[in-house]
Amino acid sequence: PINDMQYSLTMDFHFNHSDFTMRMAITTLMVGGIVLTSLPLSFEDGWEAYKTALKAYPILTKSITSATINILSDTICQRVERAFARKAILEFEHNWLRTAHTAITGFAYSGPSSHFWYQVLEGIVTVENRLIGLFCRSFLDATIFSPLTIAGYFTVRTILEGTGIESLKDKLRHKWILALIGAWEFWPIINLFNFALVPLQFRVLYVNIMSLLWTGYLSYINQARVNVAPKKITSSKTEARITANKDKHNNVMQASTLIKGEMVMKDTGDLEIII
């Protein structure tokens, strides 16, 4: 009965957790859809409307933009994964729950965190020399924001997936460094252009567009399995124990041979075993 109760509670938790996730994703998409459909058809008018929304509701606008980019990025990523897996297009089944997780992560985490980070970064780096300021912003972004935001991304995704603290520890132990190295390879040149030419209010938009590839990579790393090679035993005590066991095994084999065979002494004094 206890096991049945635990199983029932586990099933209820996963059902409620998935239901909550889907509700959040649908709400995010509905808000984004309302905003997008309310924009005029022409690009110029749409851009002006976006800038107006950005000025009136900066965090909400950036969050919706981030969620939209994350949806596109994960959709592309899943199709690329299927292509590399050599599976037929007819067999392709899109993982909508995974896409919902990326959308919620973009809306609730990536968009707001990027907004506040660029505000803080502008307040920290106040040097007048343009080149030094560019270097300082890029350096701080790579050494502070990238490590923290990647760890936060894995944390939010783990919470949405409901896989527990052990899953988060495994991601931070084995996947965080892979993603961080990828960030150091992908973002420096992009950030140089961002900090040098893009106005402050449009930097999150620029990063979101560039994240079309980056978010797909993070989503792939988050769900991928990492094979960890077993550690080689180097303890001297353990090696001594293994050697002793081998000697014991050899002695047993020799004793068994002596019991089965007959010992005779040659003229030379050598001991010979006859089976």
Side-chain angles (χ1 to χ4, degrees):
I2 295 177
N3 291 335
D4 293 341
M5 183 181 298
Q6 292 175 346
Y7 176 77
S8 177
L9 291 174
T10 302
M11 290 296 292
D12 290 341
F13 170 77
H14 284 296
F15 173 78
N16 294 333
H17 180 269
S18 299
D19 184 62
F20 171 76
T21 301
M22 292 303 296
R23 288 176 183 270
M24 286 293 295
I26 292 172
T27 302
T28 301
L29 294 175
M30 287 179 62
V31 173
I34 292 173
V35 173
L36 291 176
T37 54
S38 63
L39 295 176
L41 294 178
S42 67
F43 176 80
E44 292 78 7
D45 292 340
W47 178 244
E48 291 298 326
Y50 180 83
K51 290 192 294 184
T52 301
L54 195 61
K55 183 178 295 185
Y57 309 101
I59 299 178
L60 179 61
T61 303
K62 295 173 183 178
S63 296
I64 293 174
T65 305
S66 181
T68 304
I69 294 295
N70 281 11
I71 292 172
L72 295 175
S73 180
D74 184 68
T75 300
I76 296 172
C77 181
Q78 289 193 40
R79 279 157 176 76
V80 171
E81 290 173 16
R82 290 286 179 169
F84 277 102
R86 297 181 180 179
K87 292 188 176 181
I89 297 177
L90 295 178
E91 298 179 0
F92 175 77
E93 294 182 4
H94 189 90
N95 188 342
W96 290 107
L97 185 60
R98 169 179 156 180
T99 302
H101 289 164
T102 60
I104 296 172
T105 304
F107 182 82
Y109 174 71
S110 300
S113 63
S114 297
H115 167 81
F116 288 112
W117 167 247
Y118 289 128
Q119 297 289 336
V120 170
L121 194 59
E122 286 299 309
I124 294 176
V125 181
T126 58
V127 294
E128 296 182 358
N129 187 288
R130 187 180 181 86
L131 185 60
I132 295 177
L134 181 62
F135 173 79
C136 291
R137 292 183 182 93
S138 299
F139 178 79
L140 292 175
D141 189 88
T143 57
I144 297 178
F145 184 67
S146 289
L148 293 178
T149 193
I150 291 173
Y153 177 88
F154 286 137
T155 301
V156 174
R157 287 294 300 271
T158 303
I159 293 173
L160 293 173
E161 293 163 1
T163 51
I165 188 66
E166 292 302 323
S167 175
L168 177 59
K169 289 180 180 179
D170 181 72
K171 290 179 182 179
L172 295 179
R173 187 180 300 114
H174 302 303
K175 299 181 178 181
W176 175 79
I177 188 63
L178 295 177
L180 183 59
I181 293 174
W184 288 341
E185 294 174 349
F186 180 79
W187 285 110
I189 297 178
I190 293 175
N191 279 335
L192 287 176
F193 181 84
N194 189 21
F195 295 133
L197 302 176
V198 180
L200 177 62
Q201 65 270 26
F202 298 126
R203 286 179 183 174
V204 176
L205 173 62
Y206 170 79
V207 168
N208 283 333
I209 295 173
M210 296 297 104
S211 294
L212 188 64
L213 297 176
W214 172 248
T215 304
Y217 173 75
L218 276 184
S219 182
Y220 169 76
I221 289 292
N222 179 76
Q223 61 85 35
R225 294 182 179 180
V226 178
N227 296 324
V228 181
K231 295 182 179 179
K232 184 179 179 180
I233 300 175
T234 57
S235 173
S236 58
K237 293 183 179 179
T238 304
E239 290 180 352
R241 190 181 299 112
I242 293 174
T243 303
N245 290 336
K246 288 182 179 179
D247 294 339
K248 183 179 179 181
H249 175 73
N250 292 334
N251 292 335
V252 171
M253 292 299 295
Q254 291 176 0
S256 176
T257 303
L258 291 173
I259 292 173
K260 292 181 181 179
E262 180 183 355
M263 292 186 296
V264 295
M265 190 69 65
K266 290 184 177 181
D267 295 338
T268 57
D270 294 333
L271 185 66
E272 182 180 7
I273 307 298
I274 303 176
I275 305 300

